[in-house]
Amino acid sequence: MDKNKIKALAEYVHNAEKDKKEILKITADLHPSLSIDEAYLVQEELIRQKLEDGHQIIGPKMGITSEAKMKQMDVDDPIYGYVFDNMIVEEGDSISISDYIHPKVEPEIGFILGKDLEGPGVTTLDVLRATEHVFPAIEIIDSRYENFNFTLPDVIADNTSAAGAVFGTYLRKPEELELDVVGVTLSINGEVQSLGAGAAVLDHPAKSIARLANMLSKKGEKVKAGQPILSGGITAAVRLSPGDFVSAKYGGLGDVSFFVKE
Ligand code: OOG
Ligand code: MG
């Protein structure tokens, strides 16, 4: 794929995000043969455009790391993308539904590393030893594609549907918890909509961070200390409506919540 094509595809997705207008997936028509490697080139260009617009990367995120997500989205491999500063929602604050296309939420466990991790060969244990804190989080995803309908390359090119992140302030050391058996409930207006445990994420959420380090090493990049990192949705994602009070509650890892307005 030549540079102009990559740029055009990144603009296609980027404009949908800026205009809050859903688009047909890239592989439907524009470029049916889009490969995973090409999709990451489109994502890189999209990220370059966002940085050029003055936005900043807050941290990386993993996606499609649980069976629940693989089934819901009908794709089956972990992928990564990036959370930007303009996506951050403070705990307890409100979002406006009109700032999104068709937003959904999913509960995730967040990591902050005390030292950089560089693959290949990073293990789950390496991640746990490098982790300074874990924290509760909710990710807001908002695929730019019609009906959240996409293939793996499509969703990679769309920065893995990243649209918002609510980082809880309850920090724990990883050794204070057994992250794989930390349970979570995701509730809307006090009613549980989905539930799961950390092990839903690749058997252990720290394994997801190891996978991220190993994937990034193919580009000569590492997972950096100090950045909040999302390890991937534990449960299927739940659609948002105006008036929702969204809350994720974790066993031993506190909770995190926010409101949805018109
Ligand atoms: C893709 C986003 C995947 C996760 O945690 O699985 C993701 C999507 O479901 O639209 O962030
Ligand atoms: Mg996610």
Side-chain angles (χ1 to χ4, degrees):
M1 220 171 33
D2 69 33
K3 277 221 163 76
N4 288 333
K5 182 82 184 182
I6 293 171
K7 190 155 178 258
L9 293 179
E11 271 167 8
Y12 175 65
V13 174
H14 198 184
N15 286 336
E17 180 179 355
K18 288 195 276 201
D19 301 344
K20 304 169 208 352
K21 285 237 172 70
E22 57 185 15
I23 50 175
L24 227 66
K25 60 187 171 190
I26 292 172
T27 59
D29 218 7
L30 274 177
H31 198 83
S33 68
L34 187 73
S35 70
I36 289 188
D37 287 345
E38 287 170 342
Y40 276 113
L41 293 177
V42 176
Q43 188 196 96
E44 266 176 48
E45 169 60 21
L46 171 66
I47 281 155
R48 204 194 54 72
Q49 290 176 10
K50 284 169 173 289
L51 293 171
E52 200 175 85
D53 282 357
H55 302 305
Q56 280 176 15
I57 291 177
I58 294 295
K61 57 161 280 194
M62 284 292 278
I64 319 290
T65 47
S66 67
E67 190 77 27
K69 290 285 307 182
M70 290 180 193
K71 279 213 184 100
Q72 184 181 30
M73 306 323 298
D74 199 24
V75 285
D76 55 8
D77 253 323
I79 54 179
Y80 64 84
Y82 294 89
V83 172
F84 279 80
D85 55 353
N86 59 329
M87 298 179 183
I88 299 297
V89 178
E90 285 292 331
E91 184 168 13
D93 276 3
S94 305
I95 62 159
S96 291
I97 200 104
S98 56
D99 287 340
Y100 303 83
I101 302 168
H102 41 207
K104 294 184 189 179
V105 280
E106 50 196 20
E108 307 207 9
I109 292 174
F111 284 71
I112 296 170
L113 303 181
K115 68 180 185 78
D116 293 353
L117 276 177
E118 193 164 8
V122 173
T123 65
T124 306
L125 187 59
D126 293 334
V127 172
L128 288 171
R129 293 180 63 186
T131 298
E132 197 157 83
H133 289 109
V134 290
F135 59 93
I138 298 174
E139 185 181 19
I140 303 169
I141 52 171
D142 195 28
S143 174
R144 270 50 73 166
Y145 303 121
E146 253 178 47
N147 302 319
F148 268 82
N149 180 281
F150 47 67
T151 65
L152 207 54
D154 288 305
V155 64
I156 291 166
D158 184 25
N159 190 24
T160 65
S161 308
V166 194
F167 297 142
T169 49
Y170 192 96
L171 304 178
R172 277 287 165 266
K173 298 267 179 206
E175 63 270 25
E176 293 172 335
L177 295 156
E178 286 180 273
L179 281 176
D180 53 343
V181 291
V182 165
V184 62
T185 56
L186 176 70
S187 301
I188 309 256
N189 299 325
E191 252 180 63
V192 175
Q193 302 290 324
S194 62
L195 55 88
V201 173
L202 299 177
D203 301 333
H204 195 296
K207 193 168 167 187
S208 176
I209 309 303
R211 188 81 173 249
L212 173 67
N214 294 330
M215 285 166 97
L216 284 178
S217 74
K218 292 190 189 130
K219 289 200 298 189
E221 290 177 21
K222 52 191 177 183
V223 188
K224 295 186 197 128
Q227 293 187 326
I229 310 161
L230 290 173
S231 57
I234 296 168
T235 71
V238 176
R239 191 62 196 272
L240 291 179
S241 305
D244 284 349
F245 170 65
V246 184
S247 154
K249 191 173 170 194
Y250 292 79
L253 194 58
D255 54 47
V256 55
S257 60
F258 71 100
F259 296 90
V260 183
K261 296 187 303 195
E262 271 303 334

